[in-house]
Amino acid sequence: MCSISALFATLTSITISGLDRASLFLYKQQTTMFLQFLLLYLVLYVLTKHFRNKIQNLPPSPFPALPIIGHLHLIKKPLHRSLSKISNRHGPVVLLQLGSRRVLVVSSPSAAEECFTKNDIVFANRPHLLAGKHLGRNYTTLSWAPHGDLWRNLRKISSLEILSSNRLQLLSSIRTEEVKFLIRRLFKNNDEIIDLKSSFFELMLNVMMRMIAGKRYYGENEAEVEEGRRFREIVTETFQVSGASAVGDFLHVLAVIGGTEKRLMKLQEKRDGFLQELVDEHRRRMGNNKSCFSNERNYKTMIEVLLTLQESEPEYYKDETIKDLMVVRSLSSNSDKR
């Protein structure tokens, strides 16, 4: 009886060991086939991209462009030095595949002249980025609108009604006063270390917002404390979200996972609400025949000018148009300066 049990146990162990070896062999074989297929796919992908660029007569491009990330692995900080190295190696006109987007790097004066003279219409439009979709009202603001009738109309309003030489001269006192405010603050805090970059940034925002709404939100004599705090929070969040959206523009999956789009949508709600309050405030005061801060200044703010035009052409100067131009002159323009 014992011999039969021992024989059964031996046969069982042999069978299990055989199955384990067979399963292990099958697993190794499947893994090897998968790796071979993956390697073949990568080789075919790289070669296909390389030769397709040759056939389409595209500018030279660093070889190879990796799947999904493209040439992002070549980009390091500082950006200008990375692009300079790539241009020195591959020529004055280089085509990069940064994630899902193609980027043309031009480092030659003659090539740049050709881009902005013979082919200026081709390069006139900005790419469709996440910031333009949500903060630019689906690419309908002056900063994001494609070249066409809408962009020309917005540019006409901006150049004739807001940034004409006559209005800039009329508002020159604002710039003078804000520079005096800054100099006074620097002398007052002469024993402290001052961040001039932040100081000049705040100077520009105060100049812009006084031209737009007659209010200053930084430093001494700022507008209502709560309103100034909200404005500063919106400015700070705009820079934070803009930096995060830049990564999602090239690798969209990161924008979805990181919640960048949701943050952009919430930020747009805050900005739109804040600007609408300013427009409504000016509309109420103008309705009462009391220009905003009429006792302190002898000029019209940008909002007042646009609301006056709205009375004669309401279908042309809508509240959305006024708010869009306010954003372009304040947050968007200063984000490029920082």
Side-chain angles (χ1 to χ4, degrees), residues 128-268:
H128 283 189
L129 306 180
L130 289 174
K133 178 181 178 182
H134 298 290
L135 303 183
R137 296 183 185 275
N138 201 23
Y139 316 107
T140 58
T141 63
L142 179 61
S143 298
W144 294 99
H147 188 270
D149 293 337
L150 174 62
W151 179 82
R152 281 191 287 268
N153 289 335
L154 293 173
R155 184 175 179 273
K156 179 181 178 182
I157 295 173
S158 181
S159 59
L160 295 182
E161 305 295 345
I162 301 173
L163 297 176
S164 64
S165 57
N166 183 41
R167 278 199 57 76
L168 290 177
Q169 182 62 33
L170 184 65
L171 299 173
S172 62
S173 60
I174 293 177
R175 298 189 290 275
T176 303
E177 290 175 9
E178 288 302 322
V179 171
K180 288 181 179 178
F181 274 123
L182 176 60
I183 294 175
R184 190 181 303 121
R185 185 160 68 95
L186 292 176
F187 273 104
K188 184 179 180 180
N189 303 315
N190 59 351
D191 295 331
E192 301 177 5
I193 297 176
I194 303 295
D195 184 356
L196 290 179
K197 182 179 180 180
S198 298
S199 298
F200 288 133
F201 173 70
E202 294 173 3
L203 168 69
M204 292 304 300
L205 273 178
N206 277 335
V207 170
M208 289 292 181
M209 290 310 298
R210 285 189 63 186
M211 291 171 61
I212 292 170
K215 300 181 180 183
R216 63 195 315 270
Y217 292 115
Y218 291 90
E220 302 172 354
N221 303 324
E222 65 180 65
E224 292 81 355
V225 176
E226 178 62 21
E227 186 177 321
R229 183 191 63 78
R230 287 176 58 198
F231 178 79
R232 291 191 292 271
E233 284 183 357
I234 290 173
V235 172
T236 301
E237 191 173 352
T238 298
F239 293 123
Q240 292 175 347
V241 176
S242 298
S245 66
V247 180
D249 288 321
F250 298 100
L251 297 174
H252 187 66
V253 65
L254 296 181
V256 176
I257 296 174
T260 303
E261 283 199 88
K262 290 183 179 180
R263 292 179 63 191
L264 285 168
M265 293 169 67
K266 290 181 180 179
L267 174 59
Q268 174 57 17

Side-chain angles (χ1 to χ4, degrees), residues 135-137 140-143 150 154 268 271-272 275 279 302 306 318-330 332:
L135 303 183
R137 296 183 185 275
T140 58
T141 63
L142 179 61
S143 298
L150 174 62
L154 293 173
Q268 174 57 17
R271 296 199 332 175
D272 192 73
L275 297 175
V279 173
M302 169 183 151
L306 294 175
K318 300 178 181 179
D319 279 7
E320 287 72 18
T321 304
I322 296 175
K323 289 184 289 187
D324 292 343
L325 291 171
M326 290 167 65
V327 169
V328 171
R329 296 312 310 154
S330 58
S332 298

Side-chain angles (χ1 to χ4, degrees), residues 33-92:
M33 291 178 61
F34 173 76
L35 293 175
Q36 290 175 344
F37 173 77
L38 181 61
L39 180 61
L40 179 62
Y41 169 77
L42 291 175
V43 172
L44 290 176
Y45 175 85
V46 170
L47 292 177
T48 301
K49 290 281 292 183
H50 179 70
F51 286 109
R52 188 175 67 178
N53 289 349
K54 293 284 188 181
I55 295 172
Q56 293 178 342
N57 196 27
L58 296 175
S61 182
F63 181 83
L66 301 180
I68 302 178
I69 66 171
H71 296 110
L72 280 174
H73 63 286
L74 300 177
I75 305 299
K76 298 178 178 60
K77 292 184 178 180
L79 178 61
H80 65 280
R81 291 186 180 177
S82 294
L83 296 179
S84 177
K85 290 180 180 178
I86 294 173
S87 298
N88 292 335
R89 182 176 301 175
H90 298 279

Side-chain angles (χ1 to χ4, degrees), residues 102-116:
R102 285 181 173 180
V103 176
L104 185 67
V105 180
V106 178
S107 57
S108 165
S110 59
E113 182 181 2
E114 186 173 349
C115 290
F116 294 113

